[in-house]
Each structure stands twice: as structure tokens, then as C-alpha cells.
Amino acid sequence: MSSFRKALKSRQKNHQERSQPGFRKHLGLLEKKKDYKLRADDYHKKQNTLAALRKKALEKNPDEFYFKMINSQLQDGAHAPKKAKDEVVEVTEEQKKMMRTQDIKYVEMKRVAEAKKIERMKGELHLLDADSKQKNSHTFFVDSKKEVQSFDLARHLKTAPELVDRVYNRPTLETLETKSIQGAVRARSMKTMAKQRKHQYTILSQRIDREKKLFVISQKIQTRKDLQDKNKKVKVKKETPNAPAIYKFEAKRKR
């Protein structure tokens, strides 16, 4: 029986709905059943909504009243409370100080988090070959001018001439002869490591700049907070993008 069903199923053709006949092309695409179903469902949904609204209107209490009926207005299709023309938002001095305090606490929290990340990155990178690091100088003393002219830095440091320019990981010739080299020795691997190290230094530099900016912002917020006091003050230095304004306050004895 199952083989007969399979044979019958294989002989059945897929149902294909015809398209719009040629003489009715001017009427557009021929509507299929699924298109009619969507249109009918949408029509019935709208009719049901209108019927529910009519029922609600018929059953409404004419004496019903809410103050929001006169104190609200439609904005973008939604009810929103009306704002009085003479309504003025007043903020007390204490509230302003509290707002400033919250702002400075948030900025200080972000600055401390940034400083911790900077310290962690400095501990990993050691800043040995950073571009922004100040170049160190090493002075060698000799007895005569003749020795200055014939001075060989590689021989004095007992290392290979190729390693003289290094500021770290500069093994001596004895170490190179007696011990095996550990780590990356291929040129490609060393190039990749140098590229990664340079990327880390770039990130570190960006974090240091961000920490400095946050420090300046916290100082400026603190200055504005201090200006809210009623003590007499004189501006000593104007505010700049990299530093807050400096004021000199009159000494006042606290009771």
C-alpha cells in the first residue's frame, strides 16, 4: 500500500496558479488566495476595532471627568501633560552643589579606572622602547684622546655590534656562546611581535591622554562648584583647554 502511495505521489503534479491573462494585464497582478486572505484579515480586524470603539462610546458615562482631560494634549499621537507658560524650573543652590558633586564623582571614578589600566599596561610593557620615552645617555670615561678616537662600543660592552643599539635584552658574547636562544628568532616572528608591541604602546599613549583630559574635566567641575560659594573671589588665571581657571578667595573665618 505504501509503494502504491509513493507511486501515486510521484505522478502527481505540483499545483501552479495561473497568472493574469494577457487581455487583463491592464488590471495589474492577479490576486491569489493568500493575498485575499491577508486583505480580508486586515479588513475584519479594522471592523472589529471600530465595533469595540462604538460599544465603548455607547457605554461611556457622560458625567465622567478626569483632570487629565484638560491638563494633557496629544503629541505625536500620545497624550502628554501640558506645560504652563509661566512654569519655571527652579533649582536651589544645595541641589546644584549636589549635581556638581555627582558629576565630579563619576568623572573621578572613570579617571581612577583609567589610571589603574595605565599602571597595569606600564607593568607589562616596561616602556623600554617607547617612542615618547626620554632617551637615556650613557657616558664612558677614558684616559686620553687617542682612546676616544679608537673607542669601540661593542667591544667595551662585550656584545655583538648588531645588539649595540638595543636598550634591553642585550646579551654578552659569552652568553651567546654558552646558552641557547629562547623565544622568537625568525625575522617574521620578531616583526610581528614588534608590530604588536607598537600597537600596545599606541593604546597606552591614548589612555594616558584620556586620563589627563578626565583630570582637567574634574578640576574644572570642582572650580565651578567652588564658585557657587558667596565668598569674594578674584580671577588670577583664565581657563584654558588644558587647565581650569584659577581664583583667589578671600580668607573667611568659619564659625
Side-chain angles (χ1 to χ4, degrees), residues 111-125:
R111 189 190 69 80
V112 171
E114 205 69 39
K116 288 182 179 179
K117 291 179 182 178
I118 290 170
E119 289 299 324
R120 187 163 59 249
M121 291 189 71
K122 281 183 178 179
E124 294 174 356
L125 297 173

Side-chain angles (χ1 to χ4, degrees), residues 55-142:
K55 184 178 179 182
K56 189 175 181 180
L58 289 172
E59 294 176 353
K60 183 181 178 182
N61 181 8
D63 298 329
E64 188 175 7
F65 174 77
Y66 298 104
F67 281 101
K68 279 195 175 181
M69 294 179 180
I70 59 174
N71 294 334
S72 63
Q73 59 185 359
L74 277 176
Q75 290 182 358
D76 299 329
H79 284 277
K82 291 182 179 179
K83 292 184 179 179
K85 294 182 180 180
D86 55 347
E87 183 181 354
V88 179
V89 179
E90 293 185 358
V91 183
T92 62
E93 294 297 324
E94 186 178 354
Q95 291 174 344
K96 287 181 180 179
K97 286 184 179 180
M98 180 62 69
M99 291 164 63
R100 297 286 185 190
T101 305
Q102 295 298 325
D103 291 343
I104 195 171
K105 281 183 179 179
Y106 174 76
V107 173
E108 193 64 22
M109 180 192 70
K110 299 295 288 183
R111 189 190 69 80
V112 171
E114 205 69 39
K116 288 182 179 179
K117 291 179 182 178
I118 290 170
E119 289 299 324
R120 187 163 59 249
M121 291 189 71
K122 281 183 178 179
E124 294 174 356
L125 297 173
H126 304 296
L127 296 178
L128 293 172
D129 54 351
D131 296 334
S132 59
K133 186 178 182 294
Q134 184 179 359
K135 301 298 181 181
N136 297 328
S137 60
H138 194 162
T139 306
F140 296 95
F141 297 92
V142 293

